[in-house]
Amino acid sequence: MLLEAASHRRPHHAAKNVTPEITLSSVFSDRPTESFGAGAGLVWEGDPATHVFEVVEGVLRIFRIIGDGRRAITGFLYPGDILGVSMRDRYLYSAEAVNAVRVRRFSAASFQQAINLSPELRPQFFAKLCDEMAGAQEQMVMLSRKNAEERICTFLLRLAERKAGDRADNQDVDVPMTRLDMADYLGLTIETVSRTITSLIGRGVISQRGRHDMRINKYSMLARLAGDGDCMGANGSGEPYARQAVWPA
Amino acid sequence: MLLEAASHRRPHHAAKNVTPEITLSSVFSDRPTESFGAGAGLVWEGDPATHVFEVVEGVLRIFRIIGDGRRAITGFLYPGDILGVSMRDRYLYSAEAVNAVRVRRFSAASFQQAINLSPELRPQFFAKLCDEMAGAQEQMVMLSRKNAEERICTFLLRLAERKAGDRADNQDVDVPMTRLDMADYLGLTIETVSRTITSLIGRGVISQRGRHDMRINKYSMLARLAGDGDCMGANGSGEPYARQAVWPA
DNA sequence: CGGAGTTTTGACTGGAATCAACTGCGGTGG
DNA sequence: CCACCGCAGTTGATTCCAGTCAAAACTCCG
């Protein structure tokens, strides 16, 4: 989100000698957008990593399949996120469109070069990787130590905080993914997801207008049920971690 | 392991004009080693990220604590690994010594600079980050979709493969961590870990000489029980992913 | 030897998975 | 228009895997 903000600010009429603000997004800005329908696959686990994608609109799911068909969704990508940031020469995971998606495509080789040649882009790229890593940590903690209700609450909370950093009550949350997606992301079954959501609605913590349109009625209770139990915030200071990467140019 | 191998190969008698092989490890090579006893803490989640460490000997556990004291170990670091690779301005996790550990310390600022100034180091650094990410993915899949036995088998398998890429039977595995560490890493309880290991021993898949000294008797069965069910290896080719990062200098 | 910490083992419980039926909804076509 | 179908989601009954509680056995040290 740091990125979109920056790219939006970038004036289209920038004078020739004024170096425009360079962001990761700007690398993609002159590429055409491609559209994918819900369920369409963009990349497949194990395929040669030939391209990098920037999500312009819609949501992607990132997942791996093991043995007998069990699927684990390791993350979702939203507008501004980049698909293919962390990879070797092959994709580590598959990516599919959750809903209608628009992306900009870039060749992996060119993208690498752009990153490596620009001392401005590099720290942003590092920051992306670190963000991804931080998210993965968060996810591992949740999967190894939280129960069903805590997982659902954590998920809804993160969805809500994605668009608005403020913690206003009565916040509407758009949930584009299906129950199956949620289940495979949270390490649960669709039945458990459904039951837990029903229970939360029953207690008035949330309510739902449509299948994919929820509303948070009791934000603080939802946060409490999420179980992160910020006993000391692990931070000590109460301050959120700095948004700036520690690896400057 | 790419790194140790490389650094070991680096000849100490390198002629003056022959540029020695530069590795991430070599950044640390002239720093003194520090020792920590089992259980000692090196860094704490949320603390300002002032230093980076290279593990020279021993094993570290990387973990986070949530709310009511639940602990999730997100990974272990072995000789050659670097602590603090992915971080913002604060550590994302705490790190403690599992057993007696020797590390080399480097200031985060200097390390950043070294990375940024060296077009040789940078891709290795990227590779480290991507490795870390790949490991995190693996872990998430395991935590969200594998049962207790599959988790234990996966863990033992990874331990075994860490030292020897070959898949010889009758392989001895050193397990430096306690059952509690394993439990907190695998998202289980000590009792379940113990029971599962006992069961594996009972079936002759593994055997144990000492608490921390196991032997794999039926490697292929262990692999089967790990549940990755390489139906198609996700790779297609049957080839392991290339060890070389996709982000060259 | 003793005592604390770690591991194993046992009995029991409980939370989420499983199996199964049903609801609701949007599209499609007779 | 509405009967029909398919799919996503909900709800219910039951099972079972791993968690919990408790106690015994083993290990490592002083």
Side-chain angles (χ1 to χ4, degrees):
Chain A
M1 38 208 86
L2 194 84
L3 294 183
E4 309 109 82
S7 62
H8 289 161
R9 254 185 287 114
R10 191 160 59 92
H12 282 282
H13 57 280
K16 210 175 181 184
N17 277 344
V18 175
T19 59
E21 207 170 330
I22 298 179
T23 66
L24 277 183
S25 280
S26 70
V27 169
F28 294 87
S29 60
D30 55 354
R31 309 244 94 210
T33 66
E34 294 173 59
S35 292
F36 291 86
L42 278 82
V43 307
W44 296 99
E45 178 185 350
D47 276 1
T50 55
H51 291 92
V52 175
F53 302 81
E54 183 202 20
V55 180
V56 176
E57 194 184 330
V59 180
L60 298 181
R61 58 173 168 259
I62 299 305
F63 64 93
R64 302 186 69 170
I65 306 277
I66 63 173
D68 44 342
R70 285 173 284 185
R71 182 181 73 159
I73 293 181
T74 55
F76 294 102
L77 294 186
Y78 304 93
D81 291 335
I82 292 172
L83 168 63
V85 160
S86 67
M87 60 189 191
R88 302 310 210 92
D89 65 341
R90 288 174 182 273
Y91 293 114
L92 294 174
Y93 38 63
S94 304
E96 287 175 354
V98 167
N99 48 15
V101 160
R102 283 196 304 128
V103 299
R104 296 186 203 275
R105 182 195 298 259
F106 213 86
S107 122
S110 311
F111 186 71
Q112 294 160 36
Q113 207 167 33
I115 294 295
N116 268 292
L117 294 181
S118 162
E120 280 181 292
L121 252 34
R122 236 182 289 137
Q124 292 180 45
F125 181 67
F126 276 122
K128 274 279 176 200
L129 275 172
C130 291
D131 271 349
E132 207 173 322
M133 200 60 224
Q137 297 267 343
E138 213 60 65
Q139 190 70 359
M140 283 187 281
V141 171
M142 186 179 78
L143 290 173
S144 81
R145 287 290 170 240
K146 287 188 179 178
N147 64 26
E149 187 171 272
E150 290 171 325
R151 295 182 198 198
I152 296 288
C153 291
T154 301
F155 179 68
L156 292 176
L157 219 48
R158 289 207 288 237
L159 272 187
E161 285 168 353
R162 233 188 41 74
K163 40 181 56 175
D166 58 24
R167 42 176 54 215
D169 268 19
N170 292 335
Q171 188 171 356
D172 283 314
V173 180
D174 179 48
V175 185
M177 51 292 285
T178 67
R179 297 286 185 263
L180 182 58
D181 284 335
M182 292 176 60
D184 284 351
Y185 179 60
L186 299 173
L188 303 169
T189 60
I190 43 174
E191 293 95 329
T192 299
V193 169
S194 181
R195 268 185 259 270
T196 306
I197 288 178
T198 301
S199 158
L200 288 173
I201 292 172
R203 282 179 284 165
V205 181
I206 60 174
S207 50
Q208 64 177 351
R209 199 168 310 279
R211 215 88 302 161
H212 298 283
D213 176 24
M214 307 220 167
R215 166 168 288 231
I216 298 177
N217 299 315
K218 303 177 182 173
Y219 196 101
S220 57
M221 168 162 276
L222 190 68
R224 191 143 28 81
L225 293 175
D228 289 306
D230 269 328
C231 56
M232 43 76 81
N235 188 342
S237 68
E239 283 296 310
Y241 294 170
R243 301 300 305 165
Q244 181 56 45
V246 72
W247 306 114
Chain B
M1 39 207 85
L2 192 85
L3 293 182
E4 309 110 83
S7 62
H8 288 161
R9 252 186 289 114
R10 191 159 57 92
H12 282 283
H13 58 277
K16 211 177 182 184
N17 276 345
V18 176
T19 59
E21 208 169 331
I22 297 180
T23 66
L24 277 183
S25 282
S26 70
V27 170
F28 294 88
S29 60
D30 55 355
R31 309 244 92 210
T33 67
E34 293 173 59
S35 292
F36 291 86
L42 279 82
V43 307
W44 296 98
E45 178 184 351
D47 276 2
T50 55
H51 292 91
V52 175
F53 301 81
E54 183 202 20
V55 180
V56 175
E57 192 184 331
V59 180
L60 298 180
R61 57 172 167 259
I62 300 304
F63 63 94
R64 301 185 70 170
I65 306 278
I66 63 173
D68 45 342
R70 285 173 286 184
R71 182 181 73 160
I73 292 181
T74 55
F76 294 102
L77 295 186
Y78 303 93
D81 291 335
I82 292 172
L83 168 62
V85 160
S86 68
M87 59 189 190
R88 302 310 209 94
D89 66 341
R90 290 175 182 272
Y91 293 115
L92 293 174
Y93 38 62
S94 304
E96 288 175 353
V98 167
N99 49 14
V101 161
R102 282 196 306 127
V103 299
R104 296 187 204 275
R105 182 196 297 260
F106 214 85
S107 123
S110 311
F111 186 71
Q112 293 160 36
Q113 208 166 34
I115 295 296
N116 268 293
L117 294 180
S118 163
E120 281 180 291
L121 252 32
R122 235 183 289 137
Q124 292 180 45
F125 181 67
F126 275 122
K128 274 281 175 197
L129 276 172
C130 292
D131 271 349
E132 207 173 322
M133 200 60 224
Q137 297 267 344
E138 214 60 65
Q139 191 70 0
M140 284 187 281
V141 171
M142 187 179 78
L143 291 173
S144 82
R145 287 289 170 240
K146 286 188 179 178
N147 65 27
E149 187 170 272
E150 289 171 326
R151 294 182 197 197
I152 296 288
C153 291
T154 302
F155 179 68
L156 291 175
L157 219 47
R158 289 208 289 237
L159 272 186
E161 284 168 353
R162 233 188 43 75
K163 41 181 56 177
D166 58 24
R167 43 177 53 215
D169 269 18
N170 293 333
Q171 189 172 355
D172 283 314
V173 180
D174 180 48
V175 185
M177 51 291 286
T178 67
R179 297 287 185 261
L180 182 58
D181 284 335
M182 292 177 61
D184 284 352
Y185 179 59
L186 300 173
L188 303 168
T189 60
I190 43 174
E191 293 95 329
T192 299
V193 170
S194 181
R195 267 187 262 272
T196 306
I197 288 178
T198 301
S199 158
L200 289 173
I201 292 172
R203 281 178 284 164
V205 180
I206 61 173
S207 51
Q208 64 177 348
R209 200 167 310 279
R211 203 110 296 158
H212 299 283
D213 177 23
M214 308 219 168
R215 166 169 287 232
I216 298 177
N217 299 315
K218 302 176 181 173
Y219 196 102
S220 57
M221 168 162 276
L222 190 68
R224 192 145 26 83
L225 293 175
D228 289 305
D230 270 327
C231 55
M232 43 77 81
N235 187 343
S237 68
E239 282 296 310
Y241 294 168
R243 302 299 305 166
Q244 182 56 44
V246 72
W247 306 112

